[in-house]
Each structure stands twice: as structure tokens, then as C-alpha cells.
Amino acid sequence: GHKPTPSPSPSPSPSPTTSPSPSPSPSPSPTPSPSPSPSPSPTPTPSKFTLSPIEVRGSHLYDSKTSKQFRAQGIGFPNVGENVDDWIDVLNRINKLAPNTNVIRIYELPTCAFDTACFEKFMLVADSLGIYVVVPGTGTQWGWLPGSASACDPQTASGCYKAGGVLGFGQTMIRQFNYPNTLAIVIGNEFDMQMAKFMPVLKAYARDLKKHMQWCNTEDTSPTKGSMRMIPLMYANSDDRGNSGVIPKADYMFCGSEDVSVDIFGLNIERWCDDAGGAGQYSTLNGIIKAKEYPGAFFFSEMGCSKTNVKGGTRTWTQVKGLFSNYPSVDGFAAYVYAGNKDFDMFDGNFANATEYKDGENFFDAMKEVGDEPTESTSVVTRPTCPSSILGNPMTSVDDVEAYDTGKAGLASSCPQPYKTSAGGKGVEIVV
């Protein structure tokens, strides 16, 4: 089919390329536990949410209840298939290896997550482990953003926006993931690589999802009237051309007004291929972000060099040690990846019984030394002016990119159910 995948190379959306079915039961690299069969989750699923939603204030992320600055540290999650218990097993394994993990980034959800509450137990277990979840706002079977102009009809920003029905997908994700520990919805992954001239699509998509959340909060027939939170929106940009490519795109994704901008700019950063060069690259970028004073957070939405560019093929993950002290303008990272892309894999398969590579051992060792989480001031932000072109590609106005009818997904009755704080203000429970 001509259906483009939602994320162009270099990081194809991790479908289980490496091992679709895990080998029967490889013993994970030396752990004392005699039999690693993490099958039935030992603890019953918690019934309440306890984490507070994270908000973007100024250039950084904050706990909405305590106002403490939030420093996200975690990993890209594999696609684990249709059984939600398998997802929970992987989550528990990550938590055992690095109990300070507080974020995961999911790429492809089980299909039941789009029209049932099947994934709620995963979100509850994540909450009980102190983990926030970054979820996809684009799909593979439907709700995709085109990877080439030939998939757009007509070949304009409006035609590209409508091609895969991405707006209905995003509205569905808002309905299904109105959980307190949903950190952000990723409205696109590396769309800028092949489709830079159609980047206004991304601002239009951010605009229309924000409108939808605002409407769910005010519309009389919406179940979330008066209680709908604005779930942060993130764009995950490619690392194409380094700073000269990334910074104009970050400027663009934050330009104009908040209504047409993302809340978090994600960078799929692939620069730490050796310690000396990597440290210099991160330091330069940290300085640029600080000087920019963006009206939103800056996040390493995928972090890690391709193993093909690393001497010996195993990454050191030295950047994780003291990351927030060394690069305080960066608000978080999702290391790439548990499994799903052979050039970046930390394990030899997508399930909880996969064998950990040395690469994964290095990462989880480094997670013990993330270190201090300095607090940054948020007082000044500077919203960039929208450029008329990016890297030679003229940008049409976002006003020319039209929203479209998404059928049932766009109705007030499809707004999410509220979650409510339980008695005493401790934790939140889903109202069904």
C-alpha cells in the first residue's frame, strides 16, 4: 500500500522488527533471581491514581499540585502486542532495573486501547510506580501523517493534514488517555525529515487538538465540562542537520501564539556517539536552549546514538550521569530504545523475558547516577516570530490549513470521562 509509516527513518516506528516472538525464555543477563518468569503481576492492580498531572510553566515542567520542577528520566517502550499484562510485565522489569524511571514513551498501542478501557490497568500500575506516559498522537493503520507529498490530495498542507485522518486519531487519544499520568501526546515523529515544507500541518494539528480540549471543557453535553485538563502536546523532531536544522524548527513549533504551538519540543537526539564529542554537542545545545527562553519545555524525546556509529557497537550512556546538572535547560529524556529498532535496542526482544544487551546494562547502570535535579527559573519566556521559510522551504500560514470533520470522534459525547480526586484529595479515581 502507499500508506506511509508515521515516522520516517532514522527511527522507524518500532514495530517488532527484531523478534516478533520472544525466544522461549532466555535467562536475562546475570540477575540473581532463579527463574525470570514475570508473568502474573504479583500485586493487584491499584484502583486509584496518585500522581498529579504535569504542567508546562514557562520553559519547564512542573508538578501541578506541588509546583516542584519535574525532570523526566526514562526510556522508549517496545511494542508489546495485544495483551496488556505483557505491557505491565515490561513496565515492572524497567522499574526493577531503574526504580527512578519516571517516564516512558509509547509508540504503538494495543488496538483495544482505542475503544475500550483495557489500557487503564497499565496506566494505574505506571502511576503506582511513579511513571508518567508519553503517548502517540499518530497511528500506523489509521490516523497517520503522510511521509511523502504523493500521499496528500491535493499536495498542499491542508491535503496532507487530511490524508490520514490524523485529527480524529488525536481526538480519540484525548478521549482514551485523559489520565493524570499522561505526560504528553506526541503529535508527530520526525515528520520534518521528509515533509519540512508541510510543517504548518503540525501547527494546525496542535491548534485543533487544543480547541477540542477547550471545547470539551466548556460544552454542555461534554462529560468533562468544567474538568477537562489541557494535556500537553509534544512534537518529536528529527536530529537532521544538527542545530542548524533543529533550532529553526523549534522556533517554528513555538512561534505565533500558544493556540497554534506545541507545549513541549522534543528532539530525537542522536549526537552522543562518543563521550568527548557528545559532551560538547550537548553543552552547545543546552546553551542555545537557555538563550532562546522558549515558551515551552525542551525534551530529548529519543536519546541515543545509533549503535552503528558507536565504536564497538555498544553505547556508554555516560550522558545520563548528572544529565540535569550538566544540561539544566533539558527537561527530560526517553532513552531509545528498550527494543524495536535493531540499531538502538537495549534488549534482544520486545517482551519482559528478553535478554539485556551490554548496551542496556550500561544504560540502567547510568540511571543510578542521574544525580541532582536543579531548579530553573521560569520567569522569562520569548515567543519566536514565525519564519516565512525553514531551510529554504516557504511556510504557508497555519490559517490556510483547515480543520475537517472527524465524525463521531469530534462530538461532545466523545469527550473524555473525568477523573476525580478521591476523598481527602489523595489520588484520583476514574469515573466510569
Side-chain angles (χ1 to χ4, degrees), residues 75-78 103-107 134 186 188-189 236 268 301-302 334:
I75 189 171
F77 213 80
V103 72
I104 55 161
R105 179 179 171 192
I106 288 178
Y107 290 86
V134 174
V186 178
N189 188 70
N268 292 350
S301 41
E302 281 172 8

Side-chain angles (χ1 to χ4, degrees), residues 125-137:
V125 173
D127 177 278
S128 71
L129 299 173
I131 294 173
Y132 289 85
V133 183
V134 174
V135 296

Side-chain angles (χ1 to χ4, degrees), residues 11-25:
S11 34
S13 129
S15 32
T17 37
T18 30
S19 54
S21 62
S23 34
S25 145

Side-chain angles (χ1 to χ4, degrees), residues 351-418:
F351 291 81
N353 62 354
T355 300
E356 188 178 16
Y357 293 133
K358 180 74 172 104
D359 192 89
E361 286 178 33
N362 290 350
F363 171 69
F364 286 106
D365 282 346
M367 279 289 279
K368 299 183 176 92
E369 298 178 57
V370 174
D372 293 341
E373 300 181 12
T375 301
E376 296 295 286
S377 122
T378 65
S379 47
V380 189
V381 295
T382 309
R383 195 165 284 280
T385 313
C386 287
S388 55
S389 69
I390 293 180
L391 302 175
N393 297 292
M395 290 294 111
T396 55
S397 164
V398 65
D399 298 338
D400 298 338
V401 187
E402 293 160 13
Y404 47 91
D405 182 22
T406 56
K408 187 170 182 284
L411 300 177
S413 57
S414 296
C415 284
Q417 295 296 318

Side-chain angles (χ1 to χ4, degrees), residues 218-271:
T218 54
E219 182 60 27
D220 280 342
T221 53
S222 160
T224 346
K225 185 186 181 186
S227 65
M228 180 71 213
R229 87 167 165 120
M230 296 296 285
I231 301 167
L233 303 178
M234 181 194 298
Y235 172 62
N237 200 83
S238 76
D239 207 0
D240 188 32
R241 307 191 207 197
N243 294 336
S244 63
V246 170
I247 300 305
K249 292 169 186 172
D251 285 353
Y252 181 69
M253 292 308 298
F254 281 131
C255 79
S257 73
E258 188 182 347
D259 299 341
V260 293
S261 295
V262 289
D263 307 295
I264 304 170
F265 184 81
L267 173 60
N268 292 350
I269 188 165
E270 299 188 18
R271 303 180 194 184

